[in-house]
Amino acid sequence: MSLLTQNPGQQAHTHSADTMVPDQSRGERPRSFEVADFPMPTGREEEWRFTPVGDLGALLADEATGACLDWEESLPEGVTLGSMSVEEWRGLGLPRPADRPAAIAAARSGGVAVLDIPAEAELTEPVRIRLTGDSEQVVHGHLLVRVGRFARATVILEHAGTSRYAEQLTVTTEDGADLTLVTTQEWADDAQHLAQHDVVVGRDARVRHVAVTLGGEVVRVCTNATYAGTGGTFEGFGVYFSDAGQHLEHRLFVDHEAPHCRSNVEYKGALNGDTARAVWIGDVLIRAEAEGTDTYELNRNLLLSDGARADSVPNLEIETGEIAGAGHASTTGRFDDQHLFYLQSRGIPEDEARRLVVRGFFAAIVSRIGIPEVTERLMTAIEDELAAVSTQAGERA
Amino acid sequence: MSTNIEELNPGLKDLGRYEYGWHDTDSAGASAQRGLSQAVVDDIAERKSEPEWMRALRRKALGLFEKKPMPTWGSDLTGIDFHNIKYFVKSTEQQATSWEDLPEDIKNTYDKLGIPEAEKQRLVAGVAAQYESEVVYHQIREDLEEKGVIFVDTDSGLREHEDLFREYFGTVIPAGDNKFSALNTAVWSGGSFIYVPPGVHVDIPLQAYFRINTENMGQFERTLIIADEGSYVHYVEGCTAPIYKTDSLHSAVVEIVVKKNARVRYTTIQNWSNNVYNLVTKRATCAEGATMEWVDGNIGSKVTMKYPAVFLMGEHAKGETLSIAFAGEGQHQDAGSKMVHAAPNTSSNIVSKSVARGGGRTSYRGLVQVLEGATKSKANVVCDALLVDTISRSDTYPYVDVREDDVEMGHEATVSKVSDDQLFYLQSRGMSEEEAMAMIVRGFVEPIAKELPMEYALELNRLIELQMEGAVG
């Protein structure tokens, strides 16, 4: 690690040429258990420059609060929910926190909630964990999900209510496991949520990470995927709908460090309202040893009103030529007038046509989530958001 | 099936090897001072007998340079020693008016670069040959002068057209824009100054060759192009530099003002030797209905950080960048483009192609920004990278910032390797593997090569062949 990366807060102020070495790859960003290794962000750092750091003071303060969210869980047979100490967790050799709120969440949580899905389990029902908050108190959450070899499972993690929530979630999968993890952020309008999700994909395992973010004032979910062996597959799907006053941020970092692994990331979002913000960062690093990697990333943003702002940054770093394929695409725009015209020419009123077009935009990704109950709920939620859009449009007209 | 292309093609290691590695005896540079101080800046202004406002601007820029931080992103720039660079080298020769007047060693240099042929064939409208910081050879065809086109070196531009010069200098890229634009503003010398009057269409490309010829000499040329309403000009800049032992710095600033309905195309083929830090700021502003096109080729240098920018200030303005980069052993080409949409109905298009080999690194780094009010804007970015071995590196960092709903923004990147299928197919048609490889690379860059003026397209093709040497029969 260079001198610079240990002191990211100072890099912008270095005057002489002697000490200035910018990070040469995404993998060089610091990771540490120690909160002290992550200075208070100023908003100028690469990983914070899109985030409204000024509004997040409470979540960036290194203080234990003892507060927690309400837990409601439904565990299918064989699945256990236990706990371990933070020291024990640190000894497991799992990915370390990568930013200040994650380091605080990991250090100040007072204990790690551990969800174990035993080897070779074939769950017919999803594991459901619903977390709700009812105050503006800061909560530090620390979860570990372990999936044994050849197990197949779906885990649905729901967030609702209001809170200031900093979260460190680690997911490990052993050989040949198949996990779908859905995290939904349906917070109230004043909630803040800063999350780090680390996913370790085992040999020949498959992990599908689905982030659904609809509510909250500031929501930032940083998902990092790494591979413990060859042949792993990571799929990262996301759906977000940002209204006025919302800042919804999704950051992904897929670190291909094992050969013959695949990753596929697809995030789609709509923005509506004067100050609606959406940020999507998709970093992929293919290290020299990761030959035969196949990766693709896609982000699409649909702007439904004036004043909304979408930032979309897909970064790709490739250190070997022996790859199966690599690419990314990003688009931002409003829906095609031709689509509207076509539907209107078929006798569908403009209002209805708009909703159909937006539905179609989301349907492609929503249908890939593959869990009927989530799909239905999500389409209903999108319908509700759209209803709000057309009411506003009606008022404007 | 080959896993190691280097082994199969020993000639590949020469890709990126610098061919124009001669240099003339160094008599102009020996007396020039190393290091940067206000005395050096004042001395440059003094030697050029510059007006007071320019001196003041240089001093202010020096202060800004000292204050500004080094970039916290991009390439490793720790190899630059600002104290070990000559900031000004005056050519020992007076400005010559015809080819015959040039001194023998300078003529030899240009002979190797092929300028006389170009001139004889009347392919170029005028040649401003930059030799050691000042233009020593300069010719404009008479018909251009008759049309009122000004095409001189920047120092003469300041002397002879001071009012026009002052009106635009530093307006597109202010001194404090970044550390290197501040440095350039403080110590600039040489470059081209072009003014095209309203409605004038310059049919043939204006061309200039730049060369660094003094060891550790920074080349800080400053180019200012003003295309008045409804005019058109194509400016071509090519760079080659001899090989030296220690690291050289090239930090140019190019400002272009494209007025209403005018169109400017700026073509660069940069082929500095593999020890040059090439840190260049290029920017154009486009008024209503204006078009700016950057054609940017990066083949040489140790490190290049160059992002030609277009600020689309008027309605229906259009910006386009075609960028091509080759990185061989020890090279980092960090190139891209920046498009800022500041008016409605503007459009931009970026096409980037890069080839990395022998452990080299190519990065596309771009920004497309759609400001509030720039409704119905369209932007598209396509970047493709080709990897020919397993040790090279290719990165894509496209930044997008859209603040309007009524826009269309698209970005797409692909990274691919030369596939065994492609090689096998061409070999089955009777080509050697080396020929096949070179053909695939040429095909890959073709969409950009065809946009170049004829002699540059030939030069580019030759460079690719040189770099694929041993791979080409």
Side-chain angles (χ1 to χ4, degrees):
Chain A
M1 195 183 285
S2 74
L3 186 73
L4 180 83
T5 51
Q6 285 168 350
N7 287 311
Q10 288 173 12
Q11 64 190 47
H13 307 289
T14 309
H15 285 226
S16 84
D18 306 336
T19 53
M20 230 346 279
V21 185
D23 287 345
Q24 294 302 295
S25 101
R26 179 63 172 84
E28 285 177 25
R29 297 241 186 109
R31 289 200 149 213
S32 169
F33 292 131
E34 304 303 325
V35 178
D37 288 336
F38 301 101
M40 190 63 89
T42 61
R44 285 192 296 273
E45 299 82 0
E46 176 60 37
E47 60 266 48
W48 287 106
R49 65 195 189 95
F50 296 109
T51 318
V53 173
D55 302 339
L56 299 172
L59 279 168
L60 296 170
D62 185 15
E63 285 164 18
T65 61
C68 53
L69 298 172
D70 260 357
W71 282 60
E72 268 175 72
E73 66 264 358
S74 113
L75 307 176
E77 208 184 319
V79 178
T80 56
L81 185 61
S83 66
M84 67 167 66
S85 70
V86 175
E87 285 68 37
E88 230 177 310
W89 176 80
R90 287 186 181 187
L92 294 175
L94 298 170
R96 300 176 179 211
D99 64 12
R100 187 175 170 90
I104 296 171
R108 300 291 187 178
S109 58
V112 185
V114 184
L115 182 76
D116 272 306
I117 295 159
E120 310 202 10
E122 295 260 354
L123 301 190
T124 47
E125 278 291 299
V127 177
R128 279 195 195 85
I129 299 175
R130 185 176 172 83
L131 304 177
T132 37
D134 55 6
S135 76
E136 292 205 349
Q137 242 186 332
V138 171
V139 179
H140 297 122
H142 199 168
L143 282 84
L144 173 61
V145 176
R146 291 191 288 205
V147 184
R149 64 195 158 80
F150 304 115
R152 290 168 69 88
T154 299
V155 176
I156 301 173
L157 193 58
E158 296 171 21
H159 300 93
T162 186
S163 185
R164 302 264 179 281
Y165 187 46
E167 178 195 8
Q168 166 70 53
L169 166 69
T170 313
V171 177
T172 64
T173 49
E174 289 179 31
D175 297 358
D178 185 335
L179 172 71
T180 300
L181 181 111
V182 182
T183 170
T184 64
Q185 286 70 241
E186 292 178 88
W187 295 105
D189 287 346
D190 56 349
Q192 296 182 345
H193 182 191
L194 302 180
Q196 174 171 334
H197 292 182
D198 288 306
V199 177
V200 181
V201 182
R203 184 164 64 101
D204 296 323
R206 193 189 72 142
V207 177
R208 182 179 283 177
H209 179 277
V210 182
V212 177
T213 309
L214 302 170
E217 179 196 5
V218 179
V219 177
R220 171 176 146 125
V221 181
C222 306
T223 307
N224 307 309
T226 54
Y227 296 83
T230 58
T233 300
F234 173 79
E235 292 176 301
F237 294 148
V239 175
Y240 49 90
F241 204 119
S242 181
D243 295 321
Q246 282 190 299
H247 175 98
L248 306 183
E249 179 169 346
H250 297 88
R251 292 178 165 258
L252 288 106
F253 174 36
V254 183
D255 189 351
H256 279 279
E257 50 194 349
H260 303 290
C261 291
R262 287 167 297 280
S263 64
N264 183 23
V265 172
E266 189 172 338
Y267 272 66
K268 281 189 167 183
L271 293 88
N272 177 52
D274 201 16
T275 48
R277 284 281 320 251
V279 177
W280 180 83
I281 313 289
D283 293 336
V284 174
L285 170 61
I286 303 177
R287 296 182 191 255
E289 56 271 30
E291 294 187 351
T293 295
D294 190 354
T295 175
Y296 199 79
E297 295 209 320
L298 174 71
N299 176 226
R300 295 202 188 290
N301 288 301
L302 193 55
L303 300 166
L304 299 173
S305 75
D306 292 338
R309 176 172 170 188
D311 289 288
S312 174
V313 186
N315 291 320
L316 187 51
E317 294 179 314
I318 303 174
E319 293 176 350
T320 178
E322 283 298 319
I323 52 168
H328 59 219
S330 147
T331 59
T332 303
R334 61 192 281 160
F335 42 74
D336 202 330
D337 287 340
Q338 288 188 359
H339 293 176
L340 269 188
F341 178 77
Y342 175 82
L343 290 169
Q344 283 180 271
S345 75
R346 290 289 180 276
I348 298 168
E350 186 183 341
D351 184 40
E352 187 62 27
R354 271 175 202 279
R355 287 168 60 174
L356 277 175
V357 172
V358 180
R359 266 186 73 104
F361 172 78
F362 280 114
I365 175 98
V366 171
S367 65
R368 290 179 69 181
I369 296 171
I371 309 167
E373 76 165 85
V374 175
T375 311
E376 276 169 36
R377 248 181 50 205
L378 195 51
M379 283 320 283
T380 315
I382 290 168
E383 282 294 328
D384 291 347
E385 297 271 6
L386 284 174
V389 174
S390 42
T391 316
Q392 283 166 17
E395 280 164 12
R396 275 203 300 269
Chain B
M1 286 259 292
S2 68
T3 48
N4 191 334
I5 294 164
E6 289 277 338
E7 261 169 40
L8 285 166
N9 305 288
L12 258 183
K13 69 177 184 294
D14 294 329
L15 199 149
R17 194 187 57 179
Y18 192 68
E19 199 229 358
Y20 297 119
W22 80 91
H23 64 87
D24 302 316
T25 46
D26 185 350
S27 62
S31 60
Q33 254 175 292
R34 281 177 199 279
L36 186 57
S37 63
Q38 188 165 330
V40 171
V41 170
D42 285 345
D43 185 53
I44 294 171
E46 187 60 39
R47 289 201 207 195
K48 293 171 187 285
S49 318
E50 285 177 354
E52 193 48 46
W53 66 269
M54 181 54 80
R55 281 173 210 233
L57 184 61
R58 282 181 188 271
R59 275 189 215 137
K60 187 178 143 213
L62 179 67
L64 286 167
F65 167 71
E66 283 161 358
K67 259 190 246 146
K68 288 260 164 191
M70 290 289 275
T72 56
W73 44 272
S75 235
D76 179 358
L77 301 176
T78 45
I80 302 173
D81 181 0
F82 289 107
H83 305 295
N84 197 27
I85 290 169
K86 291 174 191 171
Y87 287 89
F88 180 67
V89 185
K90 194 172 172 68
S91 176
T92 46
E93 304 295 326
Q94 289 298 308
Q95 203 147 296
T97 51
S98 79
W99 180 253
E100 278 68 35
D101 295 342
L102 285 173
E104 199 60 33
D105 58 339
I106 295 179
K107 254 196 279 193
N108 285 340
T109 305
Y110 286 124
D111 273 338
K112 288 174 197 162
L113 288 175
I115 280 195
E117 283 81 12
E119 177 67 10
K120 275 174 207 157
Q121 291 160 27
R122 291 299 220 179
L123 275 172
V124 289
V127 177
Q130 172 145 359
Y131 193 79
E132 299 202 2
S133 308
E134 270 200 34
V135 171
V136 292
Y137 173 72
H138 203 142
Q139 193 173 334
I140 276 194
R141 270 174 48 174
E142 283 168 5
D143 51 342
L144 282 184
E145 276 179 357
E146 277 168 23
K147 285 179 183 169
V149 177
I150 301 170
F151 178 31
V152 293
D153 65 276
T154 311
D155 296 298
S156 307
L158 173 58
R159 265 196 312 274
E160 294 161 18
H161 309 278
E162 191 182 331
D163 292 341
L164 190 65
F165 192 92
R166 191 171 179 179
E167 189 182 340
Y168 294 102
F169 186 87
T171 56
V172 182
I173 304 173
D177 188 77
N178 63 69
K179 192 173 181 75
F180 294 96
S181 71
L183 177 64
N184 178 281
T185 308
V187 300
W188 72 269
S189 59
S192 297
F193 175 74
I194 298 172
Y195 172 79
V196 186
V200 172
H201 193 97
V202 182
D203 306 316
I204 28 190
L206 300 176
Q207 202 160 343
Y209 267 86
F210 298 94
R211 281 181 54 78
I212 296 180
N213 200 49
T214 304
E215 189 175 3
N216 273 354
M217 199 195 79
Q219 187 129 340
F220 302 96
E221 84 262 6
R222 182 88 185 199
T223 291
L224 177 57
I225 298 175
I226 302 141
D228 221 321
E229 290 185 10
S231 66
Y232 167 75
V233 65
H234 181 187
Y235 180 73
V236 183
E237 175 201 37
C239 304
T240 55
I243 286 175
Y244 275 108
K245 291 185 292 290
T246 47
D247 293 333
S248 264
L249 173 63
H250 173 250
S251 182
V253 167
V254 177
E255 296 179 281
I256 300 179
V257 180
V258 193
K259 296 205 170 177
K260 192 175 167 183
N261 297 330
R263 178 174 157 215
V264 174
R265 171 174 278 217
Y266 191 105
T267 301
T268 312
I269 301 286
Q270 170 272 115
N271 190 23
W272 300 112
S273 63
N274 291 354
N275 60 338
V276 172
Y277 285 89
N278 185 38
L279 309 169
V280 177
T281 312
K282 293 184 169 178
R283 191 177 300 161
T285 56
C286 278
E288 190 184 333
T291 302
M292 177 67 214
E293 298 160 328
W294 296 103
V295 182
D296 196 43
N298 294 297
I299 291 158
S301 84
K302 176 193 179 85
V303 169
T304 287
M305 286 172 75
K306 176 161 64 166
Y307 322 97
V310 183
F311 282 48
L312 302 159
M313 313 300 289
E315 223 171 310
H316 296 288
K318 193 178 161 203
E320 190 162 347
T321 301
L322 303 172
S323 174
I324 177 173
F326 281 86
E329 196 180 337
Q331 288 183 283
H332 183 188
Q333 305 284 12
D334 198 305
S337 185
K338 182 169 164 180
M339 295 288 176
V340 179
H341 294 256
N345 295 306
T346 48
S347 64
S348 69
N349 189 26
I350 300 172
V351 179
S352 163
K353 299 245 178 195
S354 64
V355 182
R357 63 150 296 279
R361 176 176 176 194
T362 56
S363 306
Y364 167 80
R365 193 185 300 274
L367 172 66
V368 175
Q369 203 168 17
V370 180
L371 302 181
E372 276 168 48
T375 52
K376 297 193 169 63
S377 293
K378 283 183 189 175
N380 198 37
V381 181
V382 177
C383 33
D384 297 329
L386 188 67
L387 295 156
V388 298
D389 59 27
T390 59
I391 52 170
S392 305
R393 173 162 177 190
S394 173
D395 309 318
T396 316
Y397 308 99
Y399 286 89
V400 173
D401 176 352
V402 177
R403 302 187 191 185
E404 269 298 340
D405 70 321
D406 198 3
V407 298
E408 284 172 40
M409 166 65 216
H411 166 79
E412 205 173 336
T414 61
V415 180
S416 50
K417 59 173 187 168
V418 175
S419 77
D420 294 321
D421 288 354
Q422 290 168 334
L423 285 177
F424 178 79
Y425 175 81
L426 291 170
Q427 282 179 271
S428 77
R429 290 286 179 274
M431 264 179 223
S432 70
E433 187 173 350
E434 293 79 4
E435 283 172 329
M437 179 73 95
M439 177 174 272
I440 291 166
V441 173
R442 275 204 304 272
F444 177 73
V445 302
E446 168 66 19
I448 290 176
K450 72 174 188 217
E451 293 295 324
L452 294 171
M454 167 84 117
E455 63 273 31
Y456 275 78
L458 291 172
E459 192 178 303
L460 182 71
N461 257 338
R462 220 178 110 245
L463 283 165
I464 293 170
E465 276 175 28
L466 273 173
Q467 297 192 320
M468 288 284 162
E469 201 160 61
V472 178

